[in-house]
Amino acid sequence: MRKLLLYTFSVFTACFMACSKKELVSHYERPDWLKGNSWEVLEDRGQFTLFLQAVERAGFKEILDGKTIATIFAPSDEAFQKYLTENNWSSVGQVPLKELKKLVGYHLIYYAYSKDMLENYQPNGSEARETNRAGLYYKHRTRSSDSISLEMDPIGGRQRKVFNKDRFLPVLSQTHFQTKGIDAAGNYEYFFGSGTWKGSNGFNVGNAGVTEYAIPTDNGYIYIVDEVLKPLKTLHATLEEYPDYQDFLKIYDRYLTYTYDEETSLDYGMAGDSLFSVSHGSLPPIASEWTTYGLPDAVAYFDLAGLAYRGFNVFAPNNQALKGFFDTYMAAHYQSLDQVDMLPLLLLMYNHVYTGNVVFPSEIGKNPDIKATFGTPIVFDPNTDVQQKAIASNGAFYGLDKVLVPDMFNSVTGAAFRNPKYRMFMYMLFKSGLYQTLVSKEIDFTLFIPSDEVLQDTYIGDSQLFWTEGNPRVFGDEQILVENSEGVLVPLSENQMENFISDHIVYDRISSLQEKKVYRTRNPYSYIYVADGKVYSTSTYNSQKDIAVSNLAGDWYNGISLDTEIAMGGEIRTIKSTLIGAESPINVLYPYAEFSKLLARAGLMEAGNSLSFLFGNRFLLFAPDNETVLQGLSNGTIPTEKNELAAYLKAYFVSVPDNSLSDYPFPGFGVQGTWDTALRTGVGEYRQISLADRGTSLELMDKDGTVLPIISDFPQVFSDGAVYRINKLLKR
């Protein structure tokens, strides 16, 4: 019985194992609906022998063989043979291996994409579809790249090994053009030639049409294309092929920068290798295959949206056009384009590049988003102004026969950007951002421009201004410096530059220096005075020292520019501190020395606490002159008791912020009204005075309506207020 049981159990186990094995084999058998991997599908079709030979020789067979998912763009034998013949190769074996790898890799893109996905790729997934960008995520990463290249770094003076990333392949769909509201055939064929658009029911891939879409395979999709895909170059490499645009490229390369790439060096470099990436400073990096630097704390290829959507677009003037620009704008001050300062050339380059989606001709002048870096619309005629054109792996190239001149060369800033005599002021305009304000076509300006010689004899605060060139090959290495409290030279801040430049900007065209008039500068409470052919800044008017200015000739479309022998500026002195020494005949407030004595007698000018009743506010002082004060003391109009005197004197002061004044009163400014003085008369109540603007003069009125004429032409303005001269006293 025991033997029988053992025998029975053995037979049962064997049968069970046999059945299980059969089920396992059945489970892993190839289902009938699978088509085979990409290699097998193409091989079975029998029309892709040359492409498959190229794939195998280039070392990409395992990708088609199912080692990874991929999308394959496969040219037929007819298309591939045509490509070989055009390049004088009789067989795949004659194609240089390096070129073959680049070529075949361009037909293989990462990941598997259905037709719908390529027509309207959405990098953030179906749950975050962007209908306003349907089809605009237009390029995809391929397995084609150039080998590591050796390039000379002009700044470091050494050769650098540059790692070239995978190039991208544009897939231009009907949806792309529909989203932009432009004709697909006309815009595609503008670059690729007549009759090349085949994508009305889908898309074109680079230079090729698609004859069969989305053939499913075990490891992705195959698309049959009617041309071999020609690997596109970067915009930089594309420009190198056109001799007529070498001057543009030469200027662009003045901003060339090589940056050590630690991550890439570790991943792709040989032992001890240092690999670099190439950029062009603040200009679009047109030598880079990739159009994004990646997301924060992630490698660049994680930023699928940036890689697929963003394109660099170059609208390059040819050599002859650049020569014409130089002759018109720069030849009076430079011998050649090579000598022109890097800043004006940078602005010139800014006006010929656009970073956004790839730009097609029907968008030029019609898409409001296509603007230069500083907001100037990029406008030209794509049919008459363009001599060369190309779609690149990272954008689009338009070769122009004209220069798109930046507005700052023709606005009131023109002299500063054309003439190196005003280089320091030019850099202040740029770094402060005010050069963009001064190109407005809606406002007229007068711009006072001091030369470098003047600026290096100018003080900001307690320090003279200094200029340092730095490395002349590096844009941004130049600096305007001031000495800090410790005697160390430090860069002038952007805020200091803005304040300084603003004292030189008048929001009006000063058409004549013979009139007697005051003009507001961009800085509040800072003015330019013009009288009898003389010009004064706020500070020099107090000392009655006029400033020699001369017209900077030019057809400036929004005003006039004047060379100035000294820098314009606000008064750094205060009324409080100046009144203390008013008894000196050389003091600018000497006409009010007797009023100053009254303030001291009333205890309002105590050291460290002068005019404290104003709480540090800006103020207007309607000050009786010396003769008027002496007469008032003589006839008893002015009190002599200390407290009564202090109260009386406060009635001559008006707090600017407490009366919501945004400007000081000048004849013709329209700043007038009834205001509280600093003399408190009760809880929340103050003695009031009124001021009327009569157009050519100002009149002060006491509480009883008595008129106190303001007898000076203009007030003297200080850093804490303005002083107006009167020859009558307020009532007690």
Side-chain angles (χ1 to χ4, degrees), residues 642-654:
K642 182 178 180 179
N643 290 335
E644 188 181 355
L645 177 61
Y648 173 73
L649 294 177
K650 289 178 183 178
Y652 289 88
F653 292 85
V654 171

Side-chain angles (χ1 to χ4, degrees), residues 17 188 275 315 339 536 558 641:
M17 292 294 291
Y188 177 87
L275 300 181
F315 312 97
Q339 293 182 346
Y536 306 86
N558 62 348
E641 193 276 323

Side-chain angles (χ1 to χ4, degrees), residues 469-522:
E469 182 70 32
N471 187 334
R473 291 179 176 271
V474 180
F475 177 75
D477 211 32
E478 60 290 314
Q479 293 285 350
I480 299 167
L481 305 172
V482 288
E483 197 171 30
N484 66 13
S485 58
E486 298 175 352
V488 178
L489 290 177
V490 296
L492 190 67
S493 72
E494 290 180 10
N495 186 57
Q496 288 175 305
M497 291 182 193
E498 181 177 357
N499 287 333
F500 180 81
I501 293 288
S502 294
D503 278 330
H504 295 75
I505 299 172
V506 169
Y507 280 90
D508 199 354
R509 184 191 294 259
I510 301 177
S511 56
S512 172
L513 300 182
Q514 300 305 316
E515 60 183 347
K516 185 176 286 187
K517 193 171 181 181
V518 64
Y519 296 87
R520 297 176 176 91
T521 71
R522 187 176 181 275

Side-chain angles (χ1 to χ4, degrees), residues 250-263:
K250 187 177 181 181
I251 295 172
Y252 209 94
D253 279 346
R254 286 182 69 173
Y255 309 92
L256 194 64
T257 304
Y258 290 85
T259 305
Y260 172 64
D261 190 333
E262 182 179 10
E263 183 179 349

Side-chain angles (χ1 to χ4, degrees), residues 376-611:
T376 306
I378 295 174
V379 179
F380 56 86
D381 189 327
N383 297 312
T384 61
D385 296 332
V386 177
Q387 306 301 306
Q388 300 288 351
K389 52 193 180 279
I391 292 291
S393 64
N394 57 352
F397 159 63
Y398 293 79
L400 308 182
D401 62 2
K402 62 188 290 185
V403 171
L404 308 177
V405 181
D407 287 340
M408 62 281 306
F409 285 89
N410 291 308
S411 76
V412 290
T413 62
F417 286 102
R418 298 186 193 190
N419 191 340
K421 175 182 178 181
Y422 306 109
R423 194 176 182 205
M424 289 176 66
F425 193 80
M426 173 184 70
Y427 273 90
M428 285 192 189
L429 283 170
F430 177 71
K431 292 185 177 183
S432 67
L434 288 175
Y435 73 106
Q436 296 186 67
T437 300
L438 291 165
V439 299
S440 171
K441 293 181 172 65
E442 309 300 323
I443 306 171
D444 272 359
F445 300 95
T446 298
L447 180 64
F448 294 87
I449 306 179
S451 67
D452 289 359
E453 182 180 0
V454 168
L455 287 181
Q456 291 183 58
D457 196 33
T458 297
Y459 282 73
I460 289 184
D462 296 326
S463 174
Q464 188 176 350
L465 290 177
F466 298 88
W467 170 264
T468 177
E469 182 70 32
N471 187 334
R473 291 179 176 271
V474 180
F475 177 75
D477 211 32
E478 60 290 314
Q479 293 285 350
I480 299 167
L481 305 172
V482 288
E483 197 171 30
N484 66 13
S485 58
E486 298 175 352
V488 178
L489 290 177
V490 296
L492 190 67
S493 72
E494 290 180 10
N495 186 57
Q496 288 175 305
M497 291 182 193
E498 181 177 357
N499 287 333
F500 180 81
I501 293 288
S502 294
D503 278 330
H504 295 75
I505 299 172
V506 169
Y507 280 90
D508 199 354
R509 184 191 294 259
I510 301 177
S511 56
S512 172
L513 300 182
Q514 300 305 316
E515 60 183 347
K516 185 176 286 187
K517 193 171 181 181
V518 64
Y519 296 87
R520 297 176 176 91
T521 71
R522 187 176 181 275
N523 275 334
Y525 310 109
S526 178
Y527 308 92
I528 299 293
Y529 302 80
V530 175
D532 303 323
K534 297 178 180 179
V535 177
Y536 306 86
S537 69
T538 304
S539 61
T540 65
Y541 181 75
N542 289 341
S543 304
Q544 284 299 292
K545 295 179 180 178
D546 62 289
I547 301 171
V549 299
S550 57
N551 186 58
L552 288 169
D555 189 18
W556 319 126
Y557 62 76
N558 62 348
I560 65 169
S561 299
L562 299 169
D563 176 280
T564 174
E565 70 169 1
I566 66 172
M568 314 302 275
E571 177 64 84
I572 62 173
R573 293 174 292 185
T574 64
I575 297 173
K576 298 173 189 177
S577 62
T578 308
L579 276 173
I580 292 172
E583 292 182 58
S584 170
I586 63 172
N587 188 296
V588 296
L589 292 182
Y590 176 70
Y592 315 104
E594 295 300 328
F595 185 78
S596 174
K597 291 178 184 178
L598 293 179
L599 290 169
R601 191 180 306 163
L604 299 177
M605 294 294 287
E606 295 177 359
N609 203 30
S610 62
L611 306 183

Side-chain angles (χ1 to χ4, degrees), residues 105 277 388 728:
S277 60
Q388 300 288 351
K728 268 188 169 183

